[in-house]
Amino acid sequence: MELQTTPSSDSFGAAVTGIDLRRDLAPEQVAAIRKAWLQHQVLAFPGQSLTLEEFERFAATLGPYGQDPYFDSLPDHPHVAAVRRDADETTPIFAETWHSDWSFLASPPSATLLCSAIIPPVGGDTLFADQYAAWEALPAGTKALLEKRMGIHSARRGYAPDGMYGAKDKGRSMAIRYSEDAMATQLHPIARRHPETGRDALFVSPGYTIGIDGMPEDEATDLLSELFAHQKRDRFVYRHRWSPDMVVMWDNRCVVHSATGGYDGHARLLHRITIA
């Protein structure tokens, strides 16, 4: 059966069928997936009942494994992390703040893959926002102000000892490692050019962008607040609804995302692999 791509009803995102990710993929199949991914930014593969080994094998066709600096990996699977929430857990929802994964790294990951293991009967959607469209929709004057500017990225709000997932975060089922290393900063262009498509995307997020290089803090804070509100407008957002046995991959270079709750009293488990 030939690979089929069905765009979502939102402005981006697509479902991919006609392929079995449990099998070794031919080069032309991998090329077709990459082409669809670059076009649609978020791909969902329903009906894929994968073992961890099969999930790893598929991920390895897309590029080298990336690093997950603040997660413990699964035993015997050093590149797989568990995005887990137990049924009786009361901690804040993990990754509820909009972000592009690990944007505070010098070389942030290109892709993130999630494979559903336990899906609650309600809630748990993932929101994605198209940052090509967010950049293109900015007023010309704002673009002119920002196009040569660098955003200051840091993991401190989440993973420093006093961060969201730091020393005071008790009772969380996920294996998160907070560290003083999270205080480090990294600069990235606010208008970041995608290395494969050549398109500019807005590359900031409330999760990891803490300032603008060379701009007074109060001025940068006000401008970033405007950008954070702008980048998640409804017209840029694709709401992904999970189902059992589903793999989802997205492009961190042009998409930000946010987890949602709404499944209190139910367990949820996804397995995650990051692509460098």
Side-chain angles (χ1 to χ4, degrees):
M1 184 176 178
E2 188 175 346
L3 183 147
Q4 301 290 325
T5 304
T6 305
S8 77
S9 59
D10 295 305
S11 59
F12 70 113
V16 178
T17 54
I19 193 165
D20 186 348
L21 301 184
R22 296 172 300 178
R23 302 181 181 275
D24 289 328
L25 300 181
E28 56 269 24
Q29 291 176 302
V30 177
I33 290 171
R34 287 195 66 87
K35 181 179 178 180
W37 175 56
L38 291 175
Q39 178 183 355
H40 297 287
Q41 303 159 262
V42 182
L43 296 181
F45 299 82
Q48 304 287 341
S49 180
L50 303 184
T51 64
L52 289 178
E53 290 78 10
E54 290 164 343
F55 184 39
E56 290 171 308
R57 188 174 63 205
F58 170 56
T61 69
L62 303 171
Y65 292 122
Q67 57 178 302
D68 287 317
Y70 298 107
F71 294 162
D72 281 333
S73 59
L74 296 178
D76 301 321
H77 296 279
H79 302 292
V80 182
V83 180
R84 172 182 170 185
R85 187 173 177 84
D86 292 342
D88 59 352
E89 195 164 330
T90 59
T91 61
I93 297 294
F94 175 72
E96 203 169 20
T97 302
W98 287 93
H99 63 287
S100 173
D101 281 335
W102 306 148
S103 71
F104 51 82
L105 296 176
S107 296
S110 60
T112 303
L113 283 74
L114 291 177
C115 184
S116 61
I118 300 172
I119 298 300
V122 294
D125 295 349
T126 303
L127 305 179
F128 297 94
D130 179 357
Q131 298 306 286
Y132 289 144
W135 174 256
E136 291 165 2
L138 286 171
T142 304
K143 285 183 182 178
L145 175 64
L146 294 174
E147 60 187 357
K148 301 299 183 183
R149 291 282 191 175
M150 304 287 278
I152 305 170
H153 294 246
S154 174
R156 64 186 61 184
R157 290 174 178 162
Y159 300 101
D162 62 351
M164 173 68 76
Y165 311 115
K168 295 181 180 179
D169 186 45
K170 304 296 186 182
R172 187 173 296 277
S173 55
M174 275 188 69
I176 294 177
R177 304 188 307 264
Y178 63 86
S179 170
E180 288 285 356
D181 293 345
M183 296 302 294
T185 60
Q186 178 65 49
L187 300 181
H188 290 295
I190 291 175
R192 189 166 181 244
R193 183 147 296 176
H194 195 292
E196 295 185 77
T197 68
R199 299 177 65 188
D200 287 340
L202 182 61
F203 197 68
V204 298
S205 75
Y208 297 134
T209 310
I210 63 171
I212 298 175
D213 190 45
M215 185 177 289
E217 183 176 355
D218 56 347
E219 184 179 341
T221 297
D222 290 345
L223 183 51
L224 285 171
S225 294
E226 293 176 13
L227 294 177
F228 297 156
H230 169 78
Q231 71 182 164
K232 64 178 183 178
R233 288 182 175 177
D234 288 347
R235 59 180 162 142
F236 306 142
V237 171
Y238 159 53
R239 176 180 284 269
H240 178 74
R241 293 176 172 82
W242 287 88
S243 61
D245 299 329
M246 175 177 279
V247 173
V248 173
M249 61 181 287
W250 65 87
D251 194 331
N252 285 297
R253 300 165 293 186
C254 56
V255 167
V256 292
H257 62 283
S258 170
T260 69
Y263 54 94
D264 288 351
H266 300 283
R268 185 174 183 265
L269 176 62
L270 306 171
H271 290 126
R272 165 182 165 139
I273 295 177
T274 302
I275 304 298

